[in-house]
Amino acid sequence: MKVLVIGGGAREHALCRSLSLDPDVSALYCAPGNAGIAEVAELRPVDALNGTAVARLAAELGAGLVVVGPEAPLVAGVADSVRAAGIPCFGPSAAAAQLEGSKAFAKDVMAAAGVPTARSYVCTTPEEVDAALDAFGAPYVVKDDGLAAGKGVVVTEDRAAARAHALACGRVVIEEYLDGPEVSLFAITDGVTVLPLQPAQDFKRALDGDAGPNTGGMGAYSPLPWADPKLVDEVMELVLQPTVDELRHRGTPFSGLLYAGLAITGRGTRVIEFNARFGDPETQVVLARLRTPLASVLLNAAKGTLDAEPPLSWRDEAAVTVVIASRDYPETPRTGDPIEGLAEVAEQDAPDAYVLHAGTARDGDRVVSAGGRVLSVTATGSDLVQARERAYKAVARIRLDGAQHRTDIAAKAAEGR
Ligand code: AMP
Ligand code: GLY
């Protein structure tokens, strides 16, 4: 099977890496990709938001499966265009991707399906905003209704700041603050059958100790030794299956990757948000642990035959990924700096540790930074302690002027806290 992956971040590098190791995949293409993905897939230029262009490229390449990585093309209807061209596509329709594209839509689906989430109000006027802020009190949680690449959510004790964010956004969801550790749980679905993956935890803040601004994610690990072993079953029953059923009953079945961002609160598990695609950087650690070859699972989801898929099989190993970000990320990331040390990791640390590229580009024979999150250094080990050691050993080999990374990814979990 020939596979085309759309996107160009470390998530897509992880997807391409897994697909490139799958004997069912005869040719692998990625559009637009990045400097690291070029080592495992053939790159093609494309405007990823243009469904017609993506469908045309897939047809030209003879792709038997298109996998859409990021949310923006999904919300723009790229999966619809690919399917309309008769090519199986892993990723939801624009209508179903509203689960990520509109927080208000997601709340409505959850209410209809009885899925536990924070109590919330959808607000458009200053009066509604004031009433909602006062109803919940501090800490205030204000979310831009639409896609905002992780920048639409403000959680603050400062009422004036919460109010200002709400008024700047226009339509917002204001909700109850959820206290407790966060878990990302992904499920592959064809709109009927739901196959959960293994849970992971993401580190959203820029700095050690969860300080600093929110980012797209600074690292992740899996498994979660502290989590209740029944967590996956519980989330399947309370969240994933009811959500998939609700969207099917509405006539907009969700097929692709359903990402539940969860808070494990004292009063039970609650959904913080849904995403309509693989998470980044959690995918890097989840796929590092997946033993089942990926292509047939994604194809069965795309074709509506996921019930034919045997249960997923997992490596009995832990995985940790550490994001190396540019200088001044997330505010004004500097790009164009040369990256050194990639060959050393490949020679000395593989296969236990490897570098997945996010914002990188080729400049002659050099690899240079080309985005905020630059690399996702990923390692496996017999437990989180070993996986961490290997990941940070590889991180230390990378040289990128002004780069930053967190030093505490998976640290508490590795210590049994
Ligand atoms: P989201 O884009 O909805 O995932 O929100 C980004 C981050 O804001 C989440 O990962 C949480 O850390 C935080 N957050 C979102 N909603 C809440 C909530 N209701 N209570 C506490 N923190 C939240
Ligand atoms: N890791 C957070 C996200 O992918 O949205």
Side-chain angles (χ1 to χ4, degrees), residues 117-170:
T117 184
R119 287 178 297 126
S120 65
Y121 294 104
V122 179
C123 308
T124 49
T125 67
E127 294 71 34
E128 287 170 353
V129 167
D130 284 326
L133 293 175
D134 292 338
F136 294 126
Y140 302 101
V141 182
V142 180
K143 302 185 172 186
D144 192 341
D145 180 45
L147 276 192
K151 293 179 204 107
V153 178
V154 164
V155 181
T156 176
E157 297 279 343
D158 179 346
R159 192 180 185 289
R163 187 172 195 274
H165 179 63
L167 299 185
C169 290

Side-chain angles (χ1 to χ4, degrees), residues 78-282:
V78 166
D80 303 83
S81 302
V82 173
R83 277 193 278 271
I87 301 168
C89 185
F90 183 81
S93 65
Q98 280 303 301
L99 208 51
E100 174 164 5
S102 164
K103 305 256 184 212
F105 176 80
K107 286 290 184 188
D108 186 60
V109 169
M110 285 190 265
V115 170
T117 184
R119 287 178 297 126
S120 65
Y121 294 104
V122 179
C123 308
T124 49
T125 67
E127 294 71 34
E128 287 170 353
V129 167
D130 284 326
L133 293 175
D134 292 338
F136 294 126
Y140 302 101
V141 182
V142 180
K143 302 185 172 186
D144 192 341
D145 180 45
L147 276 192
K151 293 179 204 107
V153 178
V154 164
V155 181
T156 176
E157 297 279 343
D158 179 346
R159 192 180 185 289
R163 187 172 195 274
H165 179 63
L167 299 185
C169 290
R171 188 169 140 102
V172 290
V173 171
I174 295 181
E175 68 179 31
E176 158 193 31
Y177 178 77
L178 298 173
D179 202 6
E182 287 180 39
V183 172
S184 301
L185 183 61
F186 304 161
I188 292 173
T189 176
D190 61 1
V192 181
T193 303
V194 183
L195 269 189
L197 306 188
Q198 289 280 307
Q201 192 172 48
D202 176 18
F203 292 75
K204 290 232 164 74
R205 300 285 183 152
L207 306 175
D208 281 6
D210 292 328
N214 257 316
T215 70
M218 294 298 290
Y221 67 93
S222 176
L224 312 180
W226 50 268
D228 185 336
K230 294 194 296 293
L231 179 71
V232 174
D233 290 345
E234 182 205 353
V235 176
M236 262 298 277
E237 187 189 331
L238 295 179
V239 176
L240 298 167
Q241 190 72 56
T243 301
V244 167
D245 292 345
E246 172 64 22
L247 283 162
R248 188 179 63 254
H249 295 145
R250 289 179 179 218
T252 51
F254 185 103
S255 85
L257 193 290
L258 178 57
Y259 166 141
L262 305 160
I264 314 298
T265 78
R267 291 179 300 124
T269 302
R270 300 278 185 277
V271 172
I272 293 183
E273 63 160 350
F274 282 127
N275 292 318
R277 37 82 194 168
F278 280 99
D280 190 345
E282 298 96 312

Side-chain angles (χ1 to χ4, degrees), residues 267-353:
R267 291 179 300 124
T269 302
R270 300 278 185 277
V271 172
I272 293 183
E273 63 160 350
F274 282 127
N275 292 318
R277 37 82 194 168
F278 280 99
D280 190 345
E282 298 96 312
T283 300
Q284 289 85 301
V285 289
V286 171
L287 292 186
R289 299 185 54 226
L290 180 66
R291 201 196 299 272
T292 306
L294 192 57
S296 87
V297 186
L298 301 185
L299 183 65
N300 275 320
K303 295 205 320 200
T305 48
L306 201 56
D307 57 346
E309 201 48 54
L312 297 174
S313 153
W314 297 93
R315 292 199 176 86
D316 193 20
E317 284 200 309
V320 170
T321 194
V322 179
V323 170
I324 299 183
S326 302
R327 176 174 170 154
D328 298 333
Y329 175 75
E331 286 87 6
T332 50
R334 191 177 78 185
T335 58
D337 291 305
I339 304 166
E340 283 164 34
L342 295 168
E344 275 128 278
V345 176
E347 278 155 24
Q348 297 178 48
D349 303 325
D352 302 322

Side-chain angles (χ1 to χ4, degrees), residues 47 91 222-223 364 374 403:
D47 172 4
S222 176
V374 181

